[in-house]
Amino acid sequence: EKLPQLATANRYSSWIIVIAGIYFTMRIYKKNLYRTTFSHCRYSFSYLWGRNDPFRKSESFAAPDAIRFWRRQFFFVSSPAKCTFSKNMAKIILTGDRPTGRLHLGHFVGSLRRRVELQNSGEFEKIFIMIADAQALTDNADNPEKVRQNIIEVALDYLSVGLDPAQSTLFIQSQVPELCELAFYYMNLVTVARLQRNPTVKAEIQLRGFSENNAENDLQRQGIPVGFFTYPISQASDITAFKATTVPVGEDQEPMIEQTREIVHKFNSVYGETLVEPEILLPDNAACMRLPGTDGKAKMSKSLNNCIYLSDTADEVKKKVMGMYTDPDHLRVEDPGKVEGNTVFTYLDAFSRPEHFSKYLPEYSSLEELKAHYRRGGLGDVKVKRLLIAILNEVLDPIRERRHYYEARIGEVYEILREGSEKARAAAAETLEEVRAAMK
Ligand code: TRP
């Protein structure tokens, strides 16, 4: 017999609920579906929803956002080519460090501090921070244990400086095998001569004592490992696998990003627009670009034994700063001193803020005033060093606190890395699919 009106309505509405349920589940769990549907525009998903995704839990759909939303929709419809590489492209960060030792103040001012700021700026769609263990092996093949142990040290350093696993994906390079396959394809797009010209590779060959001819002494290692020689290519796959738009690193990494951009260019011109060209983001302060070691030597480096580590205690920091290189001609307090090349002042350039003076050294209103007094003479090294110690400990205290927290919960740290690596792997696999498809 005929069903009553109400029952019919109920039957349809349950279908509607089921269909809507499937739709939203797909939207949430299979965001990528949109990319394949609109495969001519790789960013279509972020175009449609992007940061203003109305389904995102905590974000309201404000009026200006709505305008931008419809404008994007319009551009998307009218010119897919434009939307692929326009300014509105999702901003993605990828960066990382080799786990060959604990991280130090050079890493902090050169890159870590910036990463945390970028993370908290909310400007980036995704942030990937990689522990480059496979890259560390390129010149430590005989010492995998060292690399293995430092993975957790670097993870602790990351968490201590304030990288938040809820906002930044922390992962281990070797747990993303997709990166190898990408590198394998990119290898065909780079010449030996181009790699030989890479200034960082050149400098590191010198530094590591790799020698292609017979080693002249015991310290020189025979031959340049191919893996080491080609690590710029592997770094290009690290960056492109995550479609990174922004790579915040120190100055020494500039040739790597340049090489990556060339590979992207080459790939896109041979196989069609697939990869994203990344931009480097350098520290904005000269002192932060290349923080010298405590001995005043060019760069903080473990092998030179001139580092202040993020995990150093207050006592260790005090000792290291007290022994720091200053102006060798500044013998008596009354003597005029040099500020340029004076490590203590370089560190103050990198770390001090105006409020530190009223707090720790109220006789001076700014770093400029302190420098002027030092130049004139009458200001002793110890006083300046004490100021630096106070400032460094102010910076390092919260870092130490967070380190203690995570050191007591090491299982949690492993879990963060496992989850992060899984997430990173999914993202890299997606790019690899696109790369394979492009090469067909
Ligand atoms: N080469 C970087 C270092 O020496 C580590 C690294 C590996 C990296 N892959 C990267 C940095 C990709 C930025 C982007 O510390």
Side-chain angles (χ1 to χ4, degrees), residues 219-269:
L219 287 174
Q220 278 193 337
R221 290 190 262 179
Q222 238 173 50
I224 302 164
V226 173
F228 175 82
F229 182 61
T230 55
Y231 92 76
I233 302 175
S234 124
Q235 189 151 336
S237 44
D238 301 338
I239 295 168
T240 52
F242 301 96
K243 301 201 168 88
T245 53
T246 314
V247 186
V249 280
E251 188 190 27
D252 60 321
Q253 295 295 306
E254 215 166 356
M256 298 296 149
I257 313 306
E258 202 39 54
Q259 184 111 50
T260 302
R261 292 166 61 90
E262 280 176 36
I263 291 173
V264 169
H265 221 79
K266 181 91 188 183
F267 189 100
N268 287 348
S269 62

Tab-separated table of all heavy atoms in Angstrom, residues 219-269:
chain	number	residue	atom	x	y	z
A	219	LEU	N	94.649	11.983	7.556
A	219	LEU	CA	93.423	12.717	7.852
A	219	LEU	C	92.526	12.823	6.627
A	219	LEU	O	91.322	12.978	6.736
A	219	LEU	CB	93.759	14.128	8.349
A	219	LEU	CG	94.325	14.183	9.763
A	219	LEU	CD1	94.752	15.587	10.107
A	219	LEU	CD2	93.298	13.675	10.772
A	220	GLN	N	93.143	12.728	5.439
A	220	GLN	CA	92.338	12.841	4.227
A	220	GLN	C	91.673	11.520	3.911
A	220	GLN	O	92.283	10.467	4.003
A	220	GLN	CB	93.221	13.268	3.063
A	220	GLN	CG	93.439	14.762	3.065
A	220	GLN	CD	94.047	15.238	1.770
A	220	GLN	OE1	94.671	14.467	1.059
A	220	GLN	NE2	93.885	16.495	1.491
A	221	ARG	N	90.417	11.621	3.551
A	221	ARG	CA	89.723	10.390	3.204
A	221	ARG	C	89.820	10.203	1.705
A	221	ARG	O	89.785	11.164	0.942
A	221	ARG	CB	88.271	10.494	3.637
A	221	ARG	CG	88.177	10.472	5.144
A	221	ARG	CD	86.753	10.341	5.562
A	221	ARG	NE	86.186	11.637	5.908
A	221	ARG	CZ	84.930	11.804	6.299
A	221	ARG	NH1	84.132	10.768	6.378
A	221	ARG	NH2	84.479	12.982	6.607
A	222	GLN	N	89.928	8.935	1.304
A	222	GLN	CA	90.112	8.711	-0.114
A	222	GLN	C	88.794	8.776	-0.849
A	222	GLN	O	87.840	8.086	-0.502
A	222	GLN	CB	90.770	7.362	-0.340
A	222	GLN	CG	92.071	7.526	-1.092
A	222	GLN	CD	92.794	6.208	-1.166
A	222	GLN	OE1	92.224	5.208	-1.546
A	222	GLN	NE2	94.046	6.235	-0.801
A	223	GLY	N	88.739	9.624	-1.847
A	223	GLY	CA	87.564	9.652	-2.711
A	223	GLY	C	86.385	10.402	-2.134
A	223	GLY	O	86.199	10.457	-0.921
A	224	ILE	N	85.594	10.971	-3.041
A	224	ILE	CA	84.371	11.658	-2.651
A	224	ILE	C	83.230	10.668	-2.829
A	224	ILE	O	83.008	10.187	-3.938
A	224	ILE	CB	84.134	12.879	-3.562
A	224	ILE	CG1	85.336	13.827	-3.485
A	224	ILE	CG2	82.853	13.594	-3.196
A	224	ILE	CD1	85.377	14.836	-4.620
A	225	PRO	N	82.497	10.336	-1.773
A	225	PRO	CA	81.382	9.400	-1.950
A	225	PRO	C	80.350	9.982	-2.912
A	225	PRO	O	80.038	11.173	-2.843
A	225	PRO	CB	80.780	9.287	-0.543
A	225	PRO	CG	81.822	9.802	0.385
A	225	PRO	CD	82.643	10.779	-0.382
A	226	VAL	N	79.850	9.143	-3.819
A	226	VAL	CA	78.875	9.622	-4.800
A	226	VAL	C	77.644	10.194	-4.097
A	226	VAL	O	77.093	11.220	-4.486
A	226	VAL	CB	78.474	8.479	-5.769
A	226	VAL	CG1	77.344	8.921	-6.683
A	226	VAL	CG2	79.678	8.047	-6.582
A	227	GLY	N	77.236	9.530	-3.011
A	227	GLY	CA	76.068	10.002	-2.261
A	227	GLY	C	76.285	11.403	-1.723
A	227	GLY	O	75.380	12.242	-1.752
A	228	PHE	N	77.489	11.661	-1.270
A	228	PHE	CA	77.803	12.996	-0.763
A	228	PHE	C	77.783	14.011	-1.903
A	228	PHE	O	77.176	15.071	-1.806
A	228	PHE	CB	79.169	12.990	-0.077
A	228	PHE	CG	79.606	14.356	0.350
A	228	PHE	CD1	79.138	14.885	1.528
A	228	PHE	CD2	80.429	15.118	-0.454
A	228	PHE	CE1	79.486	16.165	1.907
A	228	PHE	CE2	80.786	16.402	-0.077
A	228	PHE	CZ	80.317	16.913	1.111
A	229	PHE	N	78.426	13.627	-2.983
A	229	PHE	CA	78.529	14.506	-4.151
A	229	PHE	C	77.153	14.912	-4.680
A	229	PHE	O	76.947	16.031	-5.136
A	229	PHE	CB	79.326	13.763	-5.234
A	229	PHE	CG	79.565	14.550	-6.473
A	229	PHE	CD1	80.286	15.732	-6.438
A	229	PHE	CD2	79.095	14.096	-7.694
A	229	PHE	CE1	80.514	16.452	-7.596
A	229	PHE	CE2	79.324	14.810	-8.851
A	229	PHE	CZ	80.035	15.993	-8.793
A	230	THR	N	76.208	13.977	-4.584
A	230	THR	CA	74.893	14.240	-5.169
A	230	THR	C	73.854	14.691	-4.138
A	230	THR	O	72.672	14.767	-4.447
A	230	THR	CB	74.361	12.975	-5.874
A	230	THR	OG1	74.363	11.913	-4.924
A	230	THR	CG2	75.215	12.588	-7.059
A	231	TYR	N	74.291	15.018	-2.926
A	231	TYR	CA	73.266	15.352	-1.932
A	231	TYR	C	72.450	16.598	-2.285
A	231	TYR	O	71.292	16.705	-1.875
A	231	TYR	CB	73.833	15.342	-0.502
A	231	TYR	CG	74.350	16.654	0.042
A	231	TYR	CD1	73.465	17.643	0.467
A	231	TYR	CD2	75.707	16.904	0.185
A	231	TYR	CE1	73.932	18.839	0.986
A	231	TYR	CE2	76.179	18.092	0.698
A	231	TYR	CZ	75.278	19.057	1.093
A	231	TYR	OH	75.744	20.228	1.588
A	232	PRO	N	72.996	17.544	-3.080
A	232	PRO	CA	72.121	18.658	-3.469
A	232	PRO	C	70.888	18.172	-4.236
A	232	PRO	O	69.823	18.772	-4.142
A	232	PRO	CB	73.016	19.520	-4.363
A	232	PRO	CG	74.410	19.214	-3.942
A	232	PRO	CD	74.396	17.770	-3.553
A	233	ILE	N	71.031	17.068	-4.971
A	233	ILE	CA	69.882	16.537	-5.719
A	233	ILE	C	68.875	15.939	-4.746
A	233	ILE	O	67.667	16.127	-4.871
A	233	ILE	CB	70.343	15.482	-6.746
A	233	ILE	CG1	71.361	16.115	-7.699
A	233	ILE	CG2	69.158	14.891	-7.482
A	233	ILE	CD1	71.973	15.149	-8.682
A	234	SER	N	69.402	15.243	-3.747
A	234	SER	CA	68.497	14.663	-2.763
A	234	SER	C	67.805	15.776	-1.971
A	234	SER	O	66.634	15.676	-1.616
A	234	SER	CB	69.270	13.684	-1.875
A	234	SER	OG	69.162	14.004	-0.536
A	235	GLN	N	68.536	16.868	-1.744
A	235	GLN	CA	67.913	17.993	-1.036
A	235	GLN	C	66.797	18.623	-1.888
A	235	GLN	O	65.790	19.081	-1.362
A	235	GLN	CB	68.978	19.025	-0.658
A	235	GLN	CG	68.444	20.094	0.262
A	235	GLN	CD	69.511	20.677	1.177
A	235	GLN	OE1	70.527	20.045	1.474
A	235	GLN	NE2	69.289	21.878	1.628
A	236	ALA	N	67.000	18.594	-3.207
A	236	ALA	CA	65.942	19.109	-4.096
A	236	ALA	C	64.694	18.242	-3.969
A	236	ALA	O	63.574	18.756	-3.999
A	236	ALA	CB	66.429	19.138	-5.537
A	237	SER	N	64.876	16.932	-3.787
A	237	SER	CA	63.657	16.121	-3.624
A	237	SER	C	63.030	16.361	-2.260
A	237	SER	O	61.806	16.366	-2.140
A	237	SER	CB	63.885	14.635	-3.898
A	237	SER	OG	65.036	14.181	-3.314
A	238	ASP	N	63.841	16.606	-1.228
A	238	ASP	CA	63.264	16.957	0.083
A	238	ASP	C	62.323	18.148	-0.046
A	238	ASP	O	61.235	18.174	0.514
A	238	ASP	CB	64.352	17.374	1.089
A	238	ASP	CG	65.387	16.290	1.328
A	238	ASP	OD1	65.074	15.119	1.071
A	238	ASP	OD2	66.516	16.627	1.767
A	239	ILE	N	62.806	19.146	-0.783
A	239	ILE	CA	62.057	20.408	-0.847
A	239	ILE	C	60.832	20.269	-1.737
A	239	ILE	O	59.727	20.652	-1.370
A	239	ILE	CB	62.982	21.540	-1.349
A	239	ILE	CG1	64.086	21.789	-0.318
A	239	ILE	CG2	62.194	22.815	-1.631
A	239	ILE	CD1	65.223	22.667	-0.799
A	240	THR	N	61.035	19.657	-2.914
A	240	THR	CA	59.930	19.605	-3.873
A	240	THR	C	58.869	18.571	-3.493
A	240	THR	O	57.704	18.740	-3.834
A	240	THR	CB	60.445	19.265	-5.283
A	240	THR	OG1	61.245	18.085	-5.195
A	240	THR	CG2	61.274	20.398	-5.837
A	241	ALA	N	59.263	17.537	-2.763
A	241	ALA	CA	58.299	16.506	-2.387
A	241	ALA	C	57.147	17.104	-1.584
A	241	ALA	O	56.033	16.589	-1.610
A	241	ALA	CB	58.975	15.415	-1.571
A	242	PHE	N	57.435	18.182	-0.866
A	242	PHE	CA	56.397	18.793	-0.028
A	242	PHE	C	55.830	20.050	-0.666
A	242	PHE	O	55.138	20.816	-0.027
A	242	PHE	CB	56.970	19.052	1.367
A	242	PHE	CG	57.450	17.766	1.980
A	242	PHE	CD1	58.784	17.393	1.906
A	242	PHE	CD2	56.543	16.894	2.541
A	242	PHE	CE1	59.202	16.175	2.409
A	242	PHE	CE2	56.957	15.680	3.053
A	242	PHE	CZ	58.284	15.312	2.985
A	243	LYS	N	56.202	20.290	-1.915
A	243	LYS	CA	55.757	21.480	-2.646
A	243	LYS	C	56.060	22.736	-1.859
A	243	LYS	O	55.258	23.681	-1.802
A	243	LYS	CB	54.259	21.402	-2.926
A	243	LYS	CG	53.870	20.174	-3.731
A	243	LYS	CD	52.548	20.400	-4.409
A	243	LYS	CE	52.272	19.351	-5.437
A	243	LYS	NZ	51.592	18.162	-4.898
A	244	ALA	N	57.237	22.725	-1.226
A	244	ALA	CA	57.595	23.858	-0.379
A	244	ALA	C	57.737	25.117	-1.211
A	244	ALA	O	58.334	25.104	-2.290
A	244	ALA	CB	58.892	23.565	0.362
A	245	THR	N	57.166	26.202	-0.708
A	245	THR	CA	57.329	27.497	-1.359
A	245	THR	C	58.433	28.285	-0.664
A	245	THR	O	59.018	29.179	-1.244
A	245	THR	CB	56.034	28.318	-1.249
A	245	THR	OG1	55.652	28.359	0.142
A	245	THR	CG2	54.924	27.694	-2.058
A	246	THR	N	58.707	27.933	0.595
A	246	THR	CA	59.574	28.739	1.426
A	246	THR	C	60.533	27.839	2.193
A	246	THR	O	60.091	26.906	2.854
A	246	THR	CB	58.707	29.521	2.436
A	246	THR	OG1	57.598	30.096	1.746
A	246	THR	CG2	59.504	30.599	3.127
A	247	VAL	N	61.815	28.125	2.073
A	247	VAL	CA	62.810	27.309	2.772
A	247	VAL	C	63.657	28.212	3.679
A	247	VAL	O	64.585	28.862	3.211
A	247	VAL	CB	63.721	26.561	1.775
A	247	VAL	CG1	64.652	25.599	2.503
A	247	VAL	CG2	62.904	25.796	0.753
A	248	PRO	N	63.317	28.286	4.958
A	248	PRO	CA	64.098	29.137	5.860
A	248	PRO	C	65.370	28.411	6.303
A	248	PRO	O	65.296	27.412	7.009
A	248	PRO	CB	63.159	29.369	7.060
A	248	PRO	CG	62.087	28.333	6.958
A	248	PRO	CD	62.200	27.617	5.649
A	249	VAL	N	66.502	28.892	5.847
A	249	VAL	CA	67.787	28.260	6.169
A	249	VAL	C	68.868	29.319	6.327
A	249	VAL	O	68.649	30.494	6.045
A	249	VAL	CB	68.243	27.285	5.058
A	249	VAL	CG1	67.555	25.943	5.161
A	249	VAL	CG2	68.049	27.889	3.682
A	250	GLY	N	70.041	28.883	6.732
A	250	GLY	CA	71.191	29.774	6.826
A	250	GLY	C	71.778	30.020	5.446
A	250	GLY	O	71.476	29.325	4.471
A	251	GLU	N	72.650	31.013	5.424
A	251	GLU	CA	73.257	31.477	4.179
A	251	GLU	C	73.993	30.362	3.436
A	251	GLU	O	74.010	30.318	2.206
A	251	GLU	CB	74.237	32.571	4.596
A	251	GLU	CG	74.874	33.357	3.537
A	251	GLU	CD	75.990	34.204	4.148
A	251	GLU	OE1	76.568	33.820	5.197
A	251	GLU	OE2	76.283	35.236	3.565
A	252	ASP	N	74.606	29.439	4.189
A	252	ASP	CA	75.399	28.376	3.568
A	252	ASP	C	74.554	27.459	2.695
A	252	ASP	O	75.083	26.714	1.873
A	252	ASP	CB	76.118	27.554	4.643
A	252	ASP	CG	75.137	26.895	5.600
A	252	ASP	OD1	74.132	27.537	5.949
A	252	ASP	OD2	75.365	25.739	5.983
A	253	GLN	N	73.235	27.516	2.877
A	253	GLN	CA	72.356	26.631	2.105
A	253	GLN	C	71.874	27.271	0.800
A	253	GLN	O	71.148	26.641	0.033
A	253	GLN	CB	71.152	26.213	2.948
A	253	GLN	CG	71.503	25.357	4.144
A	253	GLN	CD	72.078	24.023	3.730
A	253	GLN	OE1	71.480	23.284	2.958
A	253	GLN	NE2	73.265	23.713	4.217
A	254	GLU	N	72.287	28.508	0.558
A	254	GLU	CA	71.799	29.220	-0.624
A	254	GLU	C	72.063	28.450	-1.931
A	254	GLU	O	71.161	28.323	-2.765
A	254	GLU	CB	72.425	30.620	-0.673
A	254	GLU	CG	71.487	31.631	-1.226
A	254	GLU	CD	71.923	33.060	-0.974
A	254	GLU	OE1	72.948	33.279	-0.288
A	254	GLU	OE2	71.231	33.950	-1.479
A	255	PRO	N	73.280	27.918	-2.127
A	255	PRO	CA	73.531	27.174	-3.373
A	255	PRO	C	72.635	25.948	-3.521
A	255	PRO	O	72.341	25.523	-4.647
A	255	PRO	CB	74.995	26.740	-3.245
A	255	PRO	CG	75.592	27.670	-2.252
A	255	PRO	CD	74.504	28.018	-1.302
A	256	MET	N	72.189	25.383	-2.394
A	256	MET	CA	71.305	24.212	-2.458
A	256	MET	C	69.938	24.602	-3.003
A	256	MET	O	69.346	23.885	-3.807
A	256	MET	CB	71.101	23.627	-1.053
A	256	MET	CG	72.346	23.134	-0.420
A	256	MET	SD	73.016	21.761	-1.357
A	256	MET	CE	74.723	22.008	-1.031
A	257	ILE	N	69.457	25.747	-2.543
A	257	ILE	CA	68.135	26.191	-2.996
A	257	ILE	C	68.212	26.586	-4.469
A	257	ILE	O	67.306	26.316	-5.254
A	257	ILE	CB	67.623	27.380	-2.144
A	257	ILE	CG1	67.807	27.096	-0.645
A	257	ILE	CG2	66.159	27.694	-2.465
A	257	ILE	CD1	67.211	25.829	-0.132
A	258	GLU	N	69.330	27.200	-4.841
A	258	GLU	CA	69.525	27.579	-6.237
A	258	GLU	C	69.501	26.330	-7.123
A	258	GLU	O	68.847	26.280	-8.161
A	258	GLU	CB	70.880	28.310	-6.355
A	258	GLU	CG	71.017	29.205	-7.555
A	258	GLU	CD	69.753	29.981	-7.883
A	258	GLU	OE1	69.235	30.673	-6.989
A	258	GLU	OE2	69.284	29.871	-9.042
A	259	GLN	N	70.203	25.306	-6.675
A	259	GLN	CA	70.247	24.048	-7.421
A	259	GLN	C	68.845	23.439	-7.523
A	259	GLN	O	68.459	22.922	-8.569
A	259	GLN	CB	71.204	23.080	-6.707
A	259	GLN	CG	71.410	21.772	-7.424
A	259	GLN	CD	72.808	21.623	-8.005
A	259	GLN	OE1	73.798	21.833	-7.317
A	259	GLN	NE2	72.877	21.271	-9.262
A	260	THR	N	68.108	23.502	-6.434
A	260	THR	CA	66.736	22.990	-6.440
A	260	THR	C	65.882	23.730	-7.471
A	260	THR	O	65.143	23.119	-8.247
A	260	THR	CB	66.095	23.158	-5.046
A	260	THR	OG1	66.902	22.479	-4.095
A	260	THR	CG2	64.692	22.594	-5.012
A	261	ARG	N	66.009	25.052	-7.477
A	261	ARG	CA	65.218	25.840	-8.426
A	261	ARG	C	65.553	25.448	-9.861
A	261	ARG	O	64.673	25.370	-10.721
A	261	ARG	CB	65.457	27.334	-8.207
A	261	ARG	CG	64.890	27.824	-6.862
A	261	ARG	CD	65.424	29.192	-6.489
A	261	ARG	NE	65.056	30.195	-7.462
A	261	ARG	CZ	63.941	30.919	-7.411
A	261	ARG	NH1	63.102	30.746	-6.410
A	261	ARG	NH2	63.676	31.795	-8.332
A	262	GLU	N	66.811	25.195	-10.113
A	262	GLU	CA	67.201	24.771	-11.461
A	262	GLU	C	66.572	23.428	-11.824
A	262	GLU	O	66.122	23.227	-12.952
A	262	GLU	CB	68.724	24.651	-11.547
A	262	GLU	CG	69.420	25.977	-11.727
A	262	GLU	CD	70.932	25.838	-11.716
A	262	GLU	OE1	71.456	24.834	-12.229
A	262	GLU	OE2	71.574	26.743	-11.166
A	263	ILE	N	66.569	22.517	-10.860
A	263	ILE	CA	65.984	21.197	-11.121
A	263	ILE	C	64.485	21.331	-11.400
A	263	ILE	O	63.950	20.733	-12.334
A	263	ILE	CB	66.262	20.233	-9.938
A	263	ILE	CG1	67.749	19.903	-9.896
A	263	ILE	CG2	65.417	18.971	-10.030
A	263	ILE	CD1	68.202	19.107	-8.679
A	264	VAL	N	63.817	22.158	-10.599
A	264	VAL	CA	62.379	22.387	-10.794
A	264	VAL	C	62.121	22.940	-12.192
A	264	VAL	O	61.245	22.466	-12.926
A	264	VAL	CB	61.842	23.377	-9.728
A	264	VAL	CG1	60.433	23.839	-10.070
A	264	VAL	CG2	61.867	22.740	-8.347
A	265	HIS	N	62.932	23.910	-12.557
A	265	HIS	CA	62.802	24.536	-13.858
A	265	HIS	C	62.933	23.519	-14.979
A	265	HIS	O	62.149	23.463	-15.905
A	265	HIS	CB	63.912	25.581	-13.988
A	265	HIS	CG	63.437	26.814	-14.615
A	265	HIS	ND1	62.731	27.769	-13.936
A	265	HIS	CD2	63.529	27.241	-15.901
A	265	HIS	CE1	62.420	28.727	-14.757
A	265	HIS	NE2	62.889	28.439	-15.955
A	266	LYS	N	63.981	22.738	-14.853
A	266	LYS	CA	64.278	21.723	-15.860
A	266	LYS	C	63.144	20.697	-15.932
A	266	LYS	O	62.666	20.368	-17.012
A	266	LYS	CB	65.609	21.051	-15.479
A	266	LYS	CG	66.073	20.005	-16.423
A	266	LYS	CD	66.964	20.586	-17.499
A	266	LYS	CE	67.245	19.509	-18.532
A	266	LYS	NZ	68.136	19.926	-19.566
A	267	PHE	N	62.729	20.218	-14.762
A	267	PHE	CA	61.668	19.209	-14.737
A	267	PHE	C	60.408	19.751	-15.397
A	267	PHE	O	59.822	19.121	-16.270
A	267	PHE	CB	61.361	18.773	-13.295
A	267	PHE	CG	60.439	17.589	-13.220
A	267	PHE	CD1	60.941	16.317	-13.002
A	267	PHE	CD2	59.069	17.738	-13.397
A	267	PHE	CE1	60.095	15.213	-12.958
A	267	PHE	CE2	58.214	16.651	-13.361
A	267	PHE	CZ	58.733	15.382	-13.137
A	268	ASN	N	60.012	20.953	-14.967
A	268	ASN	CA	58.778	21.534	-15.497
A	268	ASN	C	58.857	21.791	-16.997
A	268	ASN	O	57.864	21.664	-17.708
A	268	ASN	CB	58.439	22.828	-14.763
A	268	ASN	CG	57.933	22.561	-13.355
A	268	ASN	OD1	57.629	21.426	-13.004
A	268	ASN	ND2	57.854	23.597	-12.548
A	269	SER	N	60.065	22.150	-17.481
A	269	SER	CA	60.126	22.435	-18.913
A	269	SER	C	60.165	21.155	-19.726
A	269	SER	O	59.688	21.132	-20.852
A	269	SER	CB	61.290	23.382	-19.246
A	269	SER	OG	62.496	22.778	-18.906
